[in-house]
Amino acid sequence: MAKPQKRYVCQSCGSVSHRWAGQCGDCSEWNTLVEEAGAVVTPFQAKHNLQGGGRFIMLSGLDAEVELPERMASGIAEFDRALGGGFVEGSATLIGGDPGIGKSTLLLQAAAKMALAGKSVAYVSGEEAADQVRLRARRLGLGAAPVQLASATSTRDILTTLSQGSPPDLLVIDSIQTMHSDLIEGAPGTVSQVRASAQELIRFAKERGTAVVLVGHVTKDGSIAGPRVLEHMVDTVLSFEGERSHQYRILRAIKNRFGGTDEIGVFAMVAEGLTEISNPSALFLTQRDEGVTGTTVFPALEGTRPVLVEIQALVVRLASGATPRRAVVGWDSGRLAMILAVLEARCGLSFSACEVYLNIAGGYRVADPAADLAVAAALVSALSERPVAVDAVAFGEIALSGEVRPVAHGPLRMKEAAKLGFERALVPAASTGEKTILSLTGFRTLGQLVEYMLGR
């Protein structure tokens, strides 16, 4: 008789070990190995040759004609922008975000709008009762939408119910960590249960043409909880970002098999739910009529959408002997250290006896290297107490040699700045030939920017 094998599965990364250990050998997490029942291994299975006995698979050429997948609009333009145009029939989408960020609210609004547009929509919640979801929909003004609600955690029950009759156009599962499959052992939320439940739901989506949306919990570092294989199984992975203390929310595509991953959707959380922000720059810019030292406006780029953000710097001189502090919010601290080193080594400015604080206004996070020139201008302005012109924007990448390098999509950045009333731009010298209505000031080196800021 075959002997069942014991195995221990890491609840963090999904790796399998045949012996228990206090620390996972793959992800180095502690106390994450949990015993699960393994498959029964027989001598026949071990010696079986997989080169025969299967069914023939039809192969098609790469040059075969393929139609573009049809899209289903969610009724929320910012949501469709992040998806690449809308939901694709038979696709699986995974959306993650911090607790209370608005994942369920966004999906309930999208489900209600699609249902009102004539689509059949099913919303299955494993965390809330159907009455709780119904009350939230009434609070959002969507109580009349013909969305089919259910509160269930059994994957078998859900798929059995949906298989009766025509399948829905959209199926929302909130959340995948609460789903349970009776095909395997384990409590809901374990690696094996999450993987098995997601696999059955994705198979249903591919076979019946239903667009499935899975809500995923996130860990303390912001990554989606559960096995990483879950992100590989789905077609699209969306991240819902933002601080609960701030009004705005950003929906960002991390993976998209049917579109790009460089688009974002911007929302604002209000009493009526999530509202779309068609002009995100209005959220992150301070309206003022006179210049303030240490502030610069930077035209960031998120996909094809430029977003103007305000970079704020503060330089505090300390008494001799004190250890200066460097604090950054919304930008890379290593990048700030590099800019300060270039300013000291190439431009003769000393920050060694000063505390430096850098902040991106509005809670926005910038990862674009084109912000180097704007950060440098804000630092020089804060150190010299000379404000940058109110009607000026700045962008450009700074090399360790002090050279100011050109960046991508300069005309698009300047077009957005001109639309919002800015009249001049501090740019790399190589970008001064671009066609724009802005007055351009080019710099080949960072030293030229310092001379310009100091009025020399």
Side-chain angles (χ1 to χ4, degrees):
M1 184 176 180
K3 181 180 180 181
Q5 286 188 339
K6 289 185 178 180
R7 64 175 187 173
Y8 299 87
V9 181
C10 176
Q11 303 301 301
S12 178
C13 66
S15 64
V16 179
S17 175
H18 296 291
R19 292 184 179 180
W20 186 88
Q23 184 182 30
C24 175
D26 291 337
C27 65
S28 300
E29 293 288 337
W30 289 91
N31 300 323
T32 57
L33 292 180
V34 176
E35 180 181 352
E36 294 184 3
V40 178
V41 178
T42 63
F44 174 77
Q45 290 176 328
K47 300 178 181 178
H48 185 56
N49 185 4
L50 295 180
Q51 296 184 2
R55 61 184 181 87
F56 182 74
I57 299 176
M58 295 296 297
L59 300 178
S60 60
L62 182 63
D63 56 351
E65 293 293 333
V66 179
E67 296 182 359
L68 292 176
E70 296 184 2
R71 299 275 186 172
M72 292 187 298
S74 66
I76 304 176
E78 294 295 309
F79 198 3
D80 292 337
R81 175 190 287 268
L83 287 170
F87 290 106
V88 177
E89 295 182 3
S91 64
T93 302
L94 176 65
I95 178 171
D98 293 332
I101 204 69
K103 302 183 297 297
S104 300
T105 302
L106 175 64
L107 291 177
L108 184 59
Q109 289 182 241
K113 290 181 181 293
M114 292 182 65
L116 291 172
K119 300 292 185 181
S120 59
V121 180
Y123 190 103
V124 180
S125 176
E127 301 176 346
E128 299 176 282
D131 289 341
Q132 289 180 279
V133 180
R134 191 175 292 109
L135 289 174
R136 189 186 332 128
R138 291 178 181 176
R139 189 177 70 250
L140 299 175
L142 303 171
V147 178
Q148 301 298 315
L149 298 178
S151 178
T153 58
S154 174
T155 307
R156 182 182 296 275
D157 295 345
I158 295 172
L159 297 181
T160 301
T161 303
L162 297 179
S163 299
Q164 306 297 323
S166 59
D169 297 315
L170 177 68
L171 171 62
V172 179
I173 302 294
D174 186 8
S175 65
I176 187 61
Q177 273 81 12
T178 61
M179 295 296 111
H180 177 268
S181 173
D182 56 10
L183 296 178
I184 58 176
E185 298 180 359
T190 58
V191 170
S192 56
Q193 284 289 349
V194 169
R195 183 168 52 227
S197 300
Q199 184 176 4
E200 293 300 323
L201 291 168
I202 293 173
R203 181 186 302 174
F204 174 81
K206 302 300 181 183
E207 292 177 352
R208 307 300 295 272
T210 299
V212 175
V213 181
L214 309 176
V215 177
H217 296 167
V218 296
T219 59
K220 59 183 179 181
D221 61 351
S223 60
I224 297 178
R228 292 304 299 266
V229 69
L230 181 61
E231 299 183 28
H232 297 289
M233 293 166 62
V234 299
D235 301 309
T236 305
V237 180
L238 301 178
S239 176
F240 207 31
E241 305 171 356
E243 299 290 338
R244 279 187 286 182
S245 58
H246 291 91
Q247 185 183 25
Y248 83 96
R249 304 285 190 270
I250 293 180
L251 184 65
R252 192 186 307 273
I254 301 176
K255 169 189 174 182
N256 194 349
R257 288 174 177 163
F258 304 107
T261 58
D262 52 1
E263 295 289 355
I264 64 169
V266 184
F267 301 87
M269 180 64 77
V270 296
E272 294 78 17
L274 290 165
T275 59
E276 304 175 60
I277 302 298
S278 57
N279 184 14
S281 300
L283 284 177
F284 309 114
L285 287 182
T286 302
Q287 302 297 328
R288 61 174 184 271
D289 298 327
E290 57 183 15
V292 179
T293 59
T295 62
T296 313
V297 177
F298 165 62
L301 202 64
E302 293 284 355
T304 60
R305 161 179 284 177
V307 180
L308 269 64
V309 296
E310 185 178 275
I311 297 178
Q312 304 169 347
L314 178 63
V315 176
V316 182
R317 291 178 174 85
L318 300 177
S320 59
T323 302
R325 184 184 179 191
R326 307 286 189 258
V328 187
V329 177
W331 206 49
D332 184 14
S333 58
R335 199 85 183 173
L336 174 63
M338 188 197 77
I339 300 298
L340 291 174
V342 175
L343 285 172
E344 292 203 18
R346 307 295 182 184
C347 306
L349 299 181
S350 177
F351 291 88
S352 58
C354 302
E355 287 188 341
V356 177
Y357 300 89
L358 187 72
N359 176 50
I360 308 298
Y364 192 81
R365 295 196 62 85
V366 175
D368 192 349
D372 290 352
L373 194 65
V375 170
L379 292 172
V380 175
S381 172
L383 183 66
S384 62
E385 297 185 355
R386 291 174 175 263
V388 181
V390 180
D391 59 349
V393 298
F395 62 90
E397 183 181 357
I398 296 177
L400 291 179
S401 61
E403 176 191 4
V404 180
R405 300 167 57 87
V407 296
H409 306 293
L412 186 60
R413 301 173 193 264
M414 290 184 280
K415 181 179 179 181
E416 178 71 11
K419 187 190 304 182
L420 295 178
F422 291 88
E423 299 178 357
R424 66 183 78 178
L426 310 180
V427 298
S431 301
T432 53
E434 304 286 354
K435 293 183 179 181
T436 179
I437 62 175
L438 297 180
S439 175
L440 303 182
T441 304
F443 305 97
R444 287 184 292 103
T445 63
L446 186 57
Q448 294 181 355
L449 174 69
V450 174
E451 297 291 329
Y452 173 83
M453 295 285 300
L454 299 180
R456 297 175 184 173

